[in-house]
Amino acid sequence: GAVVSQHPSRVICKSGTSVKIECRSLDFQATTMFWYRQFPKQSLMLMATSNEGSKATYEQGVEKDKFLINHASLTLSTLTVTSAHPEDSSFYICSARAGAKNEAFFGQGTRLTVV
Amino acid sequence: AQKITQTQPGMFVQEKEAVTLDCTYDTSDPSYGLFWYKQPSSGEMIFLIYQGSYDQQNATEGRYSLNFQKARKSANLVISASQLGDSAMYFCAMREGNPFNDYKLSFGAGTTVTVRA
């Protein structure tokens, strides 16, 4: 299957700082990528749809000024958590679609801890 | 309303036995797709199997098979000959509409499977 690479896999940051998470499609181009958030032992909640060359589409209840998404190229989308708070601590995972069935492939996820 | 319902929060299964994970879905769109993903403790989401709403036969991928009952709107995952490495959380997900248009995946709450030796 297609490969989606996410970096970093783990990050610890101080409250008030910003953290950038990268999502790359390694062997295909992705005009659309998706960012999810997952709390422990819970399901994935879609945060936003990242569109190459245009503004991201955010799900209801997601603060777009807090979770900045940039999709500047066909192989890279970034999620920046600005002014991080401890309640932003979570698992963030991205996905992109590829292949004949246009199925979703996921990155490895990023475990963010804000202290 | 929940689009994907997984009613089993956790299951134990003996090694080498089969296990069935339940998934029911709700959609009025005639075109949809159903996915199962495995999420081990490392966090990555591993694609297991896919069933399209118009597929005539149930999907199979190695030890994974999908019991698709369209009238009942259920898409249960069967894992045969369980292995210790199958211990993970399993998610059922649905895509509505044309797969080649932009679509979102709706995920169920997940089922944690623990395989016992």
Side-chain angles (χ1 to χ4, degrees):
Chain A
V3 179
V4 176
S5 177
Q6 192 171 336
H7 178 80
S9 58
R10 288 180 181 273
V11 59
I12 301 173
C13 71
K14 292 183 178 180
S15 289
T17 61
S18 295
V19 173
K20 181 186 283 188
I21 303 169
E22 294 186 346
C23 180
R24 291 180 186 275
S25 55
L26 295 188
D27 51 0
F28 66 101
Q29 293 182 332
T31 55
T32 305
M33 291 185 176
F34 301 88
W35 287 96
Y36 295 85
R37 181 174 183 174
Q38 185 182 28
F39 290 106
K41 301 203 183 296
Q42 292 190 24
S43 189
L44 279 71
M45 300 300 296
L46 180 66
M47 297 174 66
T49 303
S50 171
N51 305 299
E52 187 268 335
S54 65
K55 291 183 179 179
T57 306
Y58 289 82
E59 294 300 299
Q60 195 171 12
V62 177
E63 298 175 60
K64 59 183 178 183
D65 294 331
K66 174 128 185 97
F67 298 100
L68 299 178
I69 290 173
N70 185 284
H71 195 152
S73 78
L74 286 171
T75 59
L76 175 64
S77 174
T78 59
L79 167 68
T80 301
V81 182
T82 62
S83 188
H85 284 224
E87 54 263 34
D88 298 327
S89 299
S90 190
F91 188 69
Y92 295 87
I93 191 165
C94 67
S95 80
R97 292 198 297 269
K101 295 181 178 177
N102 206 29
E103 60 199 63
F105 293 90
F106 287 82
Q108 303 93 322
T110 297
R111 199 164 300 278
L112 170 65
T113 303
V114 184
V115 297
Chain B
Q2 283 278 67
K3 292 194 175 186
I4 294 285
T5 302
Q6 292 180 255
T7 57
Q8 306 151 310
M11 297 185 73
F12 290 94
V13 60
Q14 205 64 31
E15 198 177 8
K16 298 180 185 177
E17 291 185 351
V19 61
T20 299
L21 308 183
D22 295 341
C23 173
T24 57
Y25 59 92
D26 183 26
T27 180
S28 57
D29 200 314
S31 177
Y32 55 89
L34 297 155
F35 302 78
W36 276 93
Y37 288 89
K38 172 184 178 181
Q39 187 179 43
S41 56
S42 56
E44 62 199 289
M45 292 287 283
I46 302 168
F47 166 74
L48 296 179
I49 197 166
Y50 167 83
Q51 180 86 41
S53 59
Y54 295 119
D55 293 344
Q56 294 295 314
Q57 294 189 328
N58 286 349
T60 60
E61 291 284 349
R63 294 187 298 113
Y64 304 107
S65 59
L66 200 150
N67 184 0
F68 182 45
Q69 298 190 42
K70 199 169 182 176
R72 293 185 179 184
K73 292 190 175 179
S74 77
N76 297 342
L77 176 71
V78 179
I79 306 174
S80 62
S82 296
Q83 302 171 357
L84 295 177
D86 293 335
S87 294
M89 197 151 184
Y90 289 81
F91 290 98
C92 180
M94 177 174 67
R95 175 267 301 157
E96 293 174 280
N98 188 321
F100 293 97
N101 291 337
D102 282 339
Y103 66 82
K104 301 175 187 178
L105 280 180
S106 301
F107 283 86
T111 297
T112 300
V113 172
T114 304
V115 181
R116 290 171 163 160

mmCIF file with all atom_site columns, all heavy atoms in Angstrom, chain B residues 67-93:
data_model
loop_
_atom_site.group_PDB
_atom_site.id
_atom_site.type_symbol
_atom_site.label_atom_id
_atom_site.label_alt_id
_atom_site.label_comp_id
_atom_site.label_asym_id
_atom_site.label_entity_id
_atom_site.label_seq_id
_atom_site.pdbx_PDB_ins_code
_atom_site.Cartn_x
_atom_site.Cartn_y
_atom_site.Cartn_z
_atom_site.occupancy
_atom_site.B_iso_or_equiv
_atom_site.pdbx_formal_charge
_atom_site.auth_seq_id
_atom_site.auth_comp_id
_atom_site.auth_asym_id
_atom_site.auth_atom_id
_atom_site.pdbx_PDB_model_num
ATOM 1   N N   . ASN B 1 67 ? -17.998 -10.209 7.088  1.00 0.00 ? 67 ASN B N   1
ATOM 2   C CA  . ASN B 1 67 ? -19.345 -10.775 6.944  1.00 0.00 ? 67 ASN B CA  1
ATOM 3   C C   . ASN B 1 67 ? -20.303 -9.607  6.695  1.00 0.00 ? 67 ASN B C   1
ATOM 4   O O   . ASN B 1 67 ? -20.785 -8.966  7.631  1.00 0.00 ? 67 ASN B O   1
ATOM 5   C CB  . ASN B 1 67 ? -19.725 -11.542 8.209  1.00 0.00 ? 67 ASN B CB  1
ATOM 6   C CG  . ASN B 1 67 ? -21.069 -12.234 8.062  1.00 0.00 ? 67 ASN B CG  1
ATOM 7   O OD1 . ASN B 1 67 ? -21.710 -12.138 7.009  1.00 0.00 ? 67 ASN B OD1 1
ATOM 8   N ND2 . ASN B 1 67 ? -21.507 -12.910 9.103  1.00 0.00 ? 67 ASN B ND2 1
ATOM 9   N N   . PHE B 1 68 ? -20.555 -9.349  5.417  1.00 0.00 ? 68 PHE B N   1
ATOM 10  C CA  . PHE B 1 68 ? -21.339 -8.183  5.008  1.00 0.00 ? 68 PHE B CA  1
ATOM 11  C C   . PHE B 1 68 ? -22.802 -8.591  4.836  1.00 0.00 ? 68 PHE B C   1
ATOM 12  O O   . PHE B 1 68 ? -23.125 -9.400  3.971  1.00 0.00 ? 68 PHE B O   1
ATOM 13  C CB  . PHE B 1 68 ? -20.780 -7.643  3.687  1.00 0.00 ? 68 PHE B CB  1
ATOM 14  C CG  . PHE B 1 68 ? -21.459 -6.412  3.155  1.00 0.00 ? 68 PHE B CG  1
ATOM 15  C CD1 . PHE B 1 68 ? -21.767 -5.357  3.982  1.00 0.00 ? 68 PHE B CD1 1
ATOM 16  C CD2 . PHE B 1 68 ? -21.764 -6.307  1.800  1.00 0.00 ? 68 PHE B CD2 1
ATOM 17  C CE1 . PHE B 1 68 ? -22.379 -4.211  3.487  1.00 0.00 ? 68 PHE B CE1 1
ATOM 18  C CE2 . PHE B 1 68 ? -22.371 -5.170  1.285  1.00 0.00 ? 68 PHE B CE2 1
ATOM 19  C CZ  . PHE B 1 68 ? -22.675 -4.125  2.126  1.00 0.00 ? 68 PHE B CZ  1
ATOM 20  N N   . GLN B 1 69 ? -23.654 -8.044  5.680  1.00 0.00 ? 69 GLN B N   1
ATOM 21  C CA  . GLN B 1 69 ? -25.086 -8.301  5.586  1.00 0.00 ? 69 GLN B CA  1
ATOM 22  C C   . GLN B 1 69 ? -25.758 -6.958  5.344  1.00 0.00 ? 69 GLN B C   1
ATOM 23  O O   . GLN B 1 69 ? -26.079 -6.216  6.287  1.00 0.00 ? 69 GLN B O   1
ATOM 24  C CB  . GLN B 1 69 ? -25.593 -8.993  6.849  1.00 0.00 ? 69 GLN B CB  1
ATOM 25  C CG  . GLN B 1 69 ? -24.947 -10.354 7.065  1.00 0.00 ? 69 GLN B CG  1
ATOM 26  C CD  . GLN B 1 69 ? -25.607 -11.144 8.175  1.00 0.00 ? 69 GLN B CD  1
ATOM 27  O OE1 . GLN B 1 69 ? -26.830 -11.173 8.292  1.00 0.00 ? 69 GLN B OE1 1
ATOM 28  N NE2 . GLN B 1 69 ? -24.806 -11.775 9.006  1.00 0.00 ? 69 GLN B NE2 1
ATOM 29  N N   . LYS B 1 70 ? -26.000 -6.688  4.073  1.00 0.00 ? 70 LYS B N   1
ATOM 30  C CA  . LYS B 1 70 ? -26.446 -5.363  3.657  1.00 0.00 ? 70 LYS B CA  1
ATOM 31  C C   . LYS B 1 70 ? -27.803 -5.007  4.240  1.00 0.00 ? 70 LYS B C   1
ATOM 32  O O   . LYS B 1 70 ? -28.037 -3.891  4.672  1.00 0.00 ? 70 LYS B O   1
ATOM 33  C CB  . LYS B 1 70 ? -26.477 -5.304  2.127  1.00 0.00 ? 70 LYS B CB  1
ATOM 34  C CG  . LYS B 1 70 ? -26.482 -3.921  1.544  1.00 0.00 ? 70 LYS B CG  1
ATOM 35  C CD  . LYS B 1 70 ? -26.230 -3.996  0.047  1.00 0.00 ? 70 LYS B CD  1
ATOM 36  C CE  . LYS B 1 70 ? -26.191 -2.619  -0.568 1.00 0.00 ? 70 LYS B CE  1
ATOM 37  N NZ  . LYS B 1 70 ? -25.860 -2.683  -2.018 1.00 0.00 ? 70 LYS B NZ  1
ATOM 38  N N   . ALA B 1 71 ? -28.730 -5.951  4.213  1.00 0.00 ? 71 ALA B N   1
ATOM 39  C CA  . ALA B 1 71 ? -30.082 -5.670  4.703  1.00 0.00 ? 71 ALA B CA  1
ATOM 40  C C   . ALA B 1 71 ? -30.067 -5.335  6.187  1.00 0.00 ? 71 ALA B C   1
ATOM 41  O O   . ALA B 1 71 ? -30.860 -4.519  6.669  1.00 0.00 ? 71 ALA B O   1
ATOM 42  C CB  . ALA B 1 71 ? -30.987 -6.856  4.429  1.00 0.00 ? 71 ALA B CB  1
ATOM 43  N N   . ARG B 1 72 ? -29.174 -5.956  6.918  1.00 0.00 ? 72 ARG B N   1
ATOM 44  C CA  . ARG B 1 72 ? -29.056 -5.698  8.348  1.00 0.00 ? 72 ARG B CA  1
ATOM 45  C C   . ARG B 1 72 ? -28.118 -4.546  8.643  1.00 0.00 ? 72 ARG B C   1
ATOM 46  O O   . ARG B 1 72 ? -27.940 -4.164  9.802  1.00 0.00 ? 72 ARG B O   1
ATOM 47  C CB  . ARG B 1 72 ? -28.537 -6.934  9.068  1.00 0.00 ? 72 ARG B CB  1
ATOM 48  C CG  . ARG B 1 72 ? -29.487 -8.108  9.057  1.00 0.00 ? 72 ARG B CG  1
ATOM 49  C CD  . ARG B 1 72 ? -28.930 -9.237  9.899  1.00 0.00 ? 72 ARG B CD  1
ATOM 50  N NE  . ARG B 1 72 ? -29.831 -10.377 9.938  1.00 0.00 ? 72 ARG B NE  1
ATOM 51  C CZ  . ARG B 1 72 ? -29.633 -11.468 10.664 1.00 0.00 ? 72 ARG B CZ  1
ATOM 52  N NH1 . ARG B 1 72 ? -28.556 -11.558 11.415 1.00 0.00 ? 72 ARG B NH1 1
ATOM 53  N NH2 . ARG B 1 72 ? -30.489 -12.453 10.638 1.00 0.00 ? 72 ARG B NH2 1
ATOM 54  N N   . LYS B 1 73 ? -27.475 -4.033  7.629  1.00 0.00 ? 73 LYS B N   1
ATOM 55  C CA  . LYS B 1 73 ? -26.482 -2.971  7.781  1.00 0.00 ? 73 LYS B CA  1
ATOM 56  C C   . LYS B 1 73 ? -25.412 -3.370  8.808  1.00 0.00 ? 73 LYS B C   1
ATOM 57  O O   . LYS B 1 73 ? -25.111 -2.638  9.751  1.00 0.00 ? 73 LYS B O   1
ATOM 58  C CB  . LYS B 1 73 ? -27.153 -1.648  8.166  1.00 0.00 ? 73 LYS B CB  1
ATOM 59  C CG  . LYS B 1 73 ? -28.010 -1.079  7.042  1.00 0.00 ? 73 LYS B CG  1
ATOM 60  C CD  . LYS B 1 73 ? -28.483 0.328   7.326  1.00 0.00 ? 73 LYS B CD  1
ATOM 61  C CE  . LYS B 1 73 ? -29.219 0.884   6.119  1.00 0.00 ? 73 LYS B CE  1
ATOM 62  N NZ  . LYS B 1 73 ? -29.721 2.253   6.353  1.00 0.00 ? 73 LYS B NZ  1
ATOM 63  N N   . SER B 1 74 ? -24.870 -4.542  8.583  1.00 0.00 ? 74 SER B N   1
ATOM 64  C CA  . SER B 1 74 ? -23.787 -4.981  9.452  1.00 0.00 ? 74 SER B CA  1
ATOM 65  C C   . SER B 1 74 ? -22.590 -5.416  8.625  1.00 0.00 ? 74 SER B C   1
ATOM 66  O O   . SER B 1 74 ? -22.740 -5.897  7.485  1.00 0.00 ? 74 SER B O   1
ATOM 67  C CB  . SER B 1 74 ? -24.245 -6.106  10.380 1.00 0.00 ? 74 SER B CB  1
ATOM 68  O OG  . SER B 1 74 ? -24.315 -7.326  9.692  1.00 0.00 ? 74 SER B OG  1
ATOM 69  N N   . ALA B 1 75 ? -21.427 -5.241  9.194  1.00 0.00 ? 75 ALA B N   1
ATOM 70  C CA  . ALA B 1 75 ? -20.169 -5.557  8.502  1.00 0.00 ? 75 ALA B CA  1
ATOM 71  C C   . ALA B 1 75 ? -19.192 -6.095  9.537  1.00 0.00 ? 75 ALA B C   1
ATOM 72  O O   . ALA B 1 75 ? -18.222 -5.441  9.905  1.00 0.00 ? 75 ALA B O   1
ATOM 73  C CB  . ALA B 1 75 ? -19.612 -4.302  7.828  1.00 0.00 ? 75 ALA B CB  1
ATOM 74  N N   . ASN B 1 76 ? -19.450 -7.296  9.997  1.00 0.00 ? 76 ASN B N   1
ATOM 75  C CA  . ASN B 1 76 ? -18.633 -7.869  11.063 1.00 0.00 ? 76 ASN B CA  1
ATOM 76  C C   . ASN B 1 76 ? -17.308 -8.387  10.520 1.00 0.00 ? 76 ASN B C   1
ATOM 77  O O   . ASN B 1 76 ? -17.244 -8.960  9.435  1.00 0.00 ? 76 ASN B O   1
ATOM 78  C CB  . ASN B 1 76 ? -19.384 -9.013  11.743 1.00 0.00 ? 76 ASN B CB  1
ATOM 79  C CG  . ASN B 1 76 ? -20.658 -8.539  12.412 1.00 0.00 ? 76 ASN B CG  1
ATOM 80  O OD1 . ASN B 1 76 ? -20.838 -7.352  12.671 1.00 0.00 ? 76 ASN B OD1 1
ATOM 81  N ND2 . ASN B 1 76 ? -21.556 -9.466  12.689 1.00 0.00 ? 76 ASN B ND2 1
ATOM 82  N N   . LEU B 1 77 ? -16.265 -8.213  11.299 1.00 0.00 ? 77 LEU B N   1
ATOM 83  C CA  . LEU B 1 77 ? -14.942 -8.706  10.940 1.00 0.00 ? 77 LEU B CA  1
ATOM 84  C C   . LEU B 1 77 ? -14.702 -10.042 11.633 1.00 0.00 ? 77 LEU B C   1
ATOM 85  O O   . LEU B 1 77 ? -14.924 -10.157 12.840 1.00 0.00 ? 77 LEU B O   1
ATOM 86  C CB  . LEU B 1 77 ? -13.857 -7.713  11.369 1.00 0.00 ? 77 LEU B CB  1
ATOM 87  C CG  . LEU B 1 77 ? -12.415 -8.154  11.146 1.00 0.00 ? 77 LEU B CG  1
ATOM 88  C CD1 . LEU B 1 77 ? -12.077 -8.153  9.656  1.00 0.00 ? 77 LEU B CD1 1
ATOM 89  C CD2 . LEU B 1 77 ? -11.434 -7.247  11.894 1.00 0.00 ? 77 LEU B CD2 1
ATOM 90  N N   . VAL B 1 78 ? -14.256 -11.006 10.865 1.00 0.00 ? 78 VAL B N   1
ATOM 91  C CA  . VAL B 1 78 ? -13.904 -12.307 11.428 1.00 0.00 ? 78 VAL B CA  1
ATOM 92  C C   . VAL B 1 78 ? -12.400 -12.487 11.291 1.00 0.00 ? 78 VAL B C   1
ATOM 93  O O   . VAL B 1 78 ? -11.853 -12.381 10.181 1.00 0.00 ? 78 VAL B O   1
ATOM 94  C CB  . VAL B 1 78 ? -14.648 -13.459 10.729 1.00 0.00 ? 78 VAL B CB  1
ATOM 95  C CG1 . VAL B 1 78 ? -14.237 -14.794 11.339 1.00 0.00 ? 78 VAL B CG1 1
ATOM 96  C CG2 . VAL B 1 78 ? -16.157 -13.259 10.823 1.00 0.00 ? 78 VAL B CG2 1
ATOM 97  N N   . ILE B 1 79 ? -11.744 -12.741 12.403 1.00 0.00 ? 79 ILE B N   1
ATOM 98  C CA  . ILE B 1 79 ? -10.316 -13.051 12.389 1.00 0.00 ? 79 ILE B CA  1
ATOM 99  C C   . ILE B 1 79 ? -10.199 -14.532 12.706 1.00 0.00 ? 79 ILE B C   1
ATOM 100 O O   . ILE B 1 79 ? -10.621 -14.996 13.775 1.00 0.00 ? 79 ILE B O   1
ATOM 101 C CB  . ILE B 1 79 ? -9.532  -12.239 13.442 1.00 0.00 ? 79 ILE B CB  1
ATOM 102 C CG1 . ILE B 1 79 ? -9.794  -10.745 13.272 1.00 0.00 ? 79 ILE B CG1 1
ATOM 103 C CG2 . ILE B 1 79 ? -8.032  -12.525 13.316 1.00 0.00 ? 79 ILE B CG2 1
ATOM 104 C CD1 . ILE B 1 79 ? -9.174  -9.887  14.372 1.00 0.00 ? 79 ILE B CD1 1
ATOM 105 N N   . SER B 1 80 ? -9.645  -15.283 11.777 1.00 0.00 ? 80 SER B N   1
ATOM 106 C CA  . SER B 1 80 ? -9.515  -16.727 12.007 1.00 0.00 ? 80 SER B CA  1
ATOM 107 C C   . SER B 1 80 ? -8.123  -17.029 12.568 1.00 0.00 ? 80 SER B C   1
ATOM 108 O O   . SER B 1 80 ? -7.182  -16.263 12.390 1.00 0.00 ? 80 SER B O   1
ATOM 109 C CB  . SER B 1 80 ? -9.727  -17.479 10.689 1.00 0.00 ? 80 SER B CB  1
ATOM 110 O OG  . SER B 1 80 ? -8.734  -17.104 9.760  1.00 0.00 ? 80 SER B OG  1
ATOM 111 N N   . ALA B 1 81 ? -8.035  -18.143 13.271 1.00 0.00 ? 81 ALA B N   1
ATOM 112 C CA  . ALA B 1 81 ? -6.751  -18.618 13.805 1.00 0.00 ? 81 ALA B CA  1
ATOM 113 C C   . ALA B 1 81 ? -5.978  -17.488 14.477 1.00 0.00 ? 81 ALA B C   1
ATOM 114 O O   . ALA B 1 81 ? -4.867  -17.128 14.074 1.00 0.00 ? 81 ALA B O   1
ATOM 115 C CB  . ALA B 1 81 ? -5.923  -19.242 12.677 1.00 0.00 ? 81 ALA B CB  1
ATOM 116 N N   . SER B 1 82 ? -6.566  -16.933 15.523 1.00 0.00 ? 82 SER B N   1
ATOM 117 C CA  . SER B 1 82 ? -5.981  -15.766 16.198 1.00 0.00 ? 82 SER B CA  1
ATOM 118 C C   . SER B 1 82 ? -4.539  -16.026 16.633 1.00 0.00 ? 82 SER B C   1
ATOM 119 O O   . SER B 1 82 ? -4.184  -17.120 17.075 1.00 0.00 ? 82 SER B O   1
ATOM 120 C CB  . SER B 1 82 ? -6.817  -15.411 17.431 1.00 0.00 ? 82 SER B CB  1
ATOM 121 O OG  . SER B 1 82 ? -8.107  -15.023 17.050 1.00 0.00 ? 82 SER B OG  1
ATOM 122 N N   . GLN B 1 83 ? -3.758  -14.960 16.537 1.00 0.00 ? 83 GLN B N   1
ATOM 123 C CA  . GLN B 1 83 ? -2.358  -15.011 16.953 1.00 0.00 ? 83 GLN B CA  1
ATOM 124 C C   . GLN B 1 83 ? -2.142  -13.949 18.032 1.00 0.00 ? 83 GLN B C   1
ATOM 125 O O   . GLN B 1 83 ? -2.893  -12.977 18.124 1.00 0.00 ? 83 GLN B O   1
ATOM 126 C CB  . GLN B 1 83 ? -1.449  -14.729 15.752 1.00 0.00 ? 83 GLN B CB  1
ATOM 127 C CG  . GLN B 1 83 ? -1.634  -15.684 14.604 1.00 0.00 ? 83 GLN B CG  1
ATOM 128 C CD  . GLN B 1 83 ? -0.875  -15.244 13.361 1.00 0.00 ? 83 GLN B CD  1
ATOM 129 O OE1 . GLN B 1 83 ? -0.248  -14.195 13.311 1.00 0.00 ? 83 GLN B OE1 1
ATOM 130 N NE2 . GLN B 1 83 ? -0.921  -16.095 12.328 1.00 0.00 ? 83 GLN B NE2 1
ATOM 131 N N   . LEU B 1 84 ? -1.093  -14.138 18.814 1.00 0.00 ? 84 LEU B N   1
ATOM 132 C CA  . LEU B 1 84 ? -0.816  -13.174 19.884 1.00 0.00 ? 84 LEU B CA  1
ATOM 133 C C   . LEU B 1 84 ? -0.649  -11.760 19.321 1.00 0.00 ? 84 LEU B C   1
ATOM 134 O O   . LEU B 1 84 ? -1.035  -10.779 19.955 1.00 0.00 ? 84 LEU B O   1
ATOM 135 C CB  . LEU B 1 84 ? 0.437   -13.601 20.662 1.00 0.00 ? 84 LEU B CB  1
ATOM 136 C CG  . LEU B 1 84 ? 0.317   -14.909 21.431 1.00 0.00 ? 84 LEU B CG  1
ATOM 137 C CD1 . LEU B 1 84 ? 1.648   -15.257 22.108 1.00 0.00 ? 84 LEU B CD1 1
ATOM 138 C CD2 . LEU B 1 84 ? -0.803  -14.851 22.477 1.00 0.00 ? 84 LEU B CD2 1
ATOM 139 N N   . GLY B 1 85 ? -0.106  -11.680 18.130 1.00 0.00 ? 85 GLY B N   1
ATOM 140 C CA  . GLY B 1 85 ? 0.103   -10.375 17.494 1.00 0.00 ? 85 GLY B CA  1
ATOM 141 C C   . GLY B 1 85 ? -1.177  -9.697  17.054 1.00 0.00 ? 85 GLY B C   1
ATOM 142 O O   . GLY B 1 85 ? -1.147  -8.532  16.621 1.00 0.00 ? 85 GLY B O   1
ATOM 143 N N   . ASP B 1 86 ? -2.285  -10.392 17.156 1.00 0.00 ? 86 ASP B N   1
ATOM 144 C CA  . ASP B 1 86 ? -3.572  -9.782  16.789 1.00 0.00 ? 86 ASP B CA  1
ATOM 145 C C   . ASP B 1 86 ? -4.121  -8.911  17.914 1.00 0.00 ? 86 ASP B C   1
ATOM 146 O O   . ASP B 1 86 ? -5.099  -8.193  17.720 1.00 0.00 ? 86 ASP B O   1
ATOM 147 C CB  . ASP B 1 86 ? -4.603  -10.866 16.454 1.00 0.00 ? 86 ASP B CB  1
ATOM 148 C CG  . ASP B 1 86 ? -4.252  -11.643 15.195 1.00 0.00 ? 86 ASP B CG  1
ATOM 149 O OD1 . ASP B 1 86 ? -3.527  -11.088 14.339 1.00 0.00 ? 86 ASP B OD1 1
ATOM 150 O OD2 . ASP B 1 86 ? -4.690  -12.807 15.076 1.00 0.00 ? 86 ASP B OD2 1
ATOM 151 N N   . SER B 1 87 ? -3.511  -8.976  19.083 1.00 0.00 ? 87 SER B N   1
ATOM 152 C CA  . SER B 1 87 ? -3.975  -8.153  20.204 1.00 0.00 ? 87 SER B CA  1
ATOM 153 C C   . SER B 1 87 ? -3.809  -6.685  19.833 1.00 0.00 ? 87 SER B C   1
ATOM 154 O O   . SER B 1 87 ? -2.693  -6.215  19.560 1.00 0.00 ? 87 SER B O   1
ATOM 155 C CB  . SER B 1 87 ? -3.164  -8.473  21.465 1.00 0.00 ? 87 SER B CB  1
ATOM 156 O OG  . SER B 1 87 ? -3.402  -9.793  21.903 1.00 0.00 ? 87 SER B OG  1
ATOM 157 N N   . ALA B 1 88 ? -4.906  -5.969  19.809 1.00 0.00 ? 88 ALA B N   1
ATOM 158 C CA  . ALA B 1 88 ? -4.906  -4.570  19.354 1.00 0.00 ? 88 ALA B CA  1
ATOM 159 C C   . ALA B 1 88 ? -6.321  -4.022  19.489 1.00 0.00 ? 88 ALA B C   1
ATOM 160 O O   . ALA B 1 88 ? -7.244  -4.735  19.884 1.00 0.00 ? 88 ALA B O   1
ATOM 161 C CB  . ALA B 1 88 ? -4.450  -4.465  17.900 1.00 0.00 ? 88 ALA B CB  1
ATOM 162 N N   . MET B 1 89 ? -6.455  -2.758  19.129 1.00 0.00 ? 89 MET B N   1
ATOM 163 C CA  . MET B 1 89 ? -7.779  -2.165  19.029 1.00 0.00 ? 89 MET B CA  1
ATOM 164 C C   . MET B 1 89 ? -8.183  -2.222  17.558 1.00 0.00 ? 89 MET B C   1
ATOM 165 O O   . MET B 1 89 ? -7.361  -1.983  16.672 1.00 0.00 ? 89 MET B O   1
ATOM 166 C CB  . MET B 1 89 ? -7.748  -0.714  19.513 1.00 0.00 ? 89 MET B CB  1
ATOM 167 C CG  . MET B 1 89 ? -9.104  -0.133  19.823 1.00 0.00 ? 89 MET B CG  1
ATOM 168 S SD  . MET B 1 89 ? -8.982  1.126   21.095 1.00 0.00 ? 89 MET B SD  1
ATOM 169 C CE  . MET B 1 89 ? -10.676 1.556   21.345 1.00 0.00 ? 89 MET B CE  1
ATOM 170 N N   . TYR B 1 90 ? -9.451  -2.518  17.305 1.00 0.00 ? 90 TYR B N   1
ATOM 171 C CA  . TYR B 1 90 ? -9.939  -2.653  15.940 1.00 0.00 ? 90 TYR B CA  1
ATOM 172 C C   . TYR B 1 90 ? -11.069 -1.659  15.721 1.00 0.00 ? 90 TYR B C   1
ATOM 173 O O   . TYR B 1 90 ? -12.000 -1.567  16.524 1.00 0.00 ? 90 TYR B O   1
ATOM 174 C CB  . TYR B 1 90 ? -10.436 -4.080  15.696 1.00 0.00 ? 90 TYR B CB  1
ATOM 175 C CG  . TYR B 1 90 ? -9.307  -5.083  15.626 1.00 0.00 ? 90 TYR B CG  1
ATOM 176 C CD1 . TYR B 1 90 ? -8.734  -5.581  16.792 1.00 0.00 ? 90 TYR B CD1 1
ATOM 177 C CD2 . TYR B 1 90 ? -8.797  -5.514  14.406 1.00 0.00 ? 90 TYR B CD2 1
ATOM 178 C CE1 . TYR B 1 90 ? -7.687  -6.466  16.748 1.00 0.00 ? 90 TYR B CE1 1
ATOM 179 C CE2 . TYR B 1 90 ? -7.749  -6.422  14.347 1.00 0.00 ? 90 TYR B CE2 1
ATOM 180 C CZ  . TYR B 1 90 ? -7.199  -6.893  15.523 1.00 0.00 ? 90 TYR B CZ  1
ATOM 181 O OH  . TYR B 1 90 ? -6.157  -7.784  15.473 1.00 0.00 ? 90 TYR B OH  1
ATOM 182 N N   . PHE B 1 91 ? -10.956 -0.942  14.619 1.00 0.00 ? 91 PHE B N   1
ATOM 183 C CA  . PHE B 1 91 ? -11.950 0.070   14.286 1.00 0.00 ? 91 PHE B CA  1
ATOM 184 C C   . PHE B 1 91 ? -12.654 -0.272  12.983 1.00 0.00 ? 91 PHE B C   1
ATOM 185 O O   . PHE B 1 91 ? -12.018 -0.623  11.990 1.00 0.00 ? 91 PHE B O   1
ATOM 186 C CB  . PHE B 1 91 ? -11.297 1.450   14.134 1.00 0.00 ? 91 PHE B CB  1
ATOM 187 C CG  . PHE B 1 91 ? -10.806 2.036   15.418 1.00 0.00 ? 91 PHE B CG  1
ATOM 188 C CD1 . PHE B 1 91 ? -9.473  1.938   15.771 1.00 0.00 ? 91 PHE B CD1 1
ATOM 189 C CD2 . PHE B 1 91 ? -11.679 2.693   16.268 1.00 0.00 ? 91 PHE B CD2 1
ATOM 190 C CE1 . PHE B 1 91 ? -9.011  2.484   16.960 1.00 0.00 ? 91 PHE B CE1 1
ATOM 191 C CE2 . PHE B 1 91 ? -11.227 3.245   17.456 1.00 0.00 ? 91 PHE B CE2 1
ATOM 192 C CZ  . PHE B 1 91 ? -9.897  3.130   17.801 1.00 0.00 ? 91 PHE B CZ  1
ATOM 193 N N   . CYS B 1 92 ? -13.950 -0.101  13.018 1.00 0.00 ? 92 CYS B N   1
ATOM 194 C CA  . CYS B 1 92 ? -14.772 -0.177  11.811 1.00 0.00 ? 92 CYS B CA  1
ATOM 195 C C   . CYS B 1 92 ? -15.001 1.255   11.340 1.00 0.00 ? 92 CYS B C   1
ATOM 196 O O   . CYS B 1 92 ? -15.194 2.169   12.171 1.00 0.00 ? 92 CYS B O   1
ATOM 197 C CB  . CYS B 1 92 ? -16.095 -0.855  12.150 1.00 0.00 ? 92 CYS B CB  1
ATOM 198 S SG  . CYS B 1 92 ? -17.243 -1.041  10.768 1.00 0.00 ? 92 CYS B SG  1
ATOM 199 N N   . ALA B 1 93 ? -14.955 1.478   10.040 1.00 0.00 ? 93 ALA B N   1
ATOM 200 C CA  . ALA B 1 93 ? -15.126 2.833   9.513  1.00 0.00 ? 93 ALA B CA  1
ATOM 201 C C   . ALA B 1 93 ? -15.949 2.782   8.235  1.00 0.00 ? 93 ALA B C   1
ATOM 202 O O   . ALA B 1 93 ? -15.993 1.762   7.548  1.00 0.00 ? 93 ALA B O   1
ATOM 203 C CB  . ALA B 1 93 ? -13.769 3.489   9.243  1.00 0.00 ? 93 ALA B CB  1
#
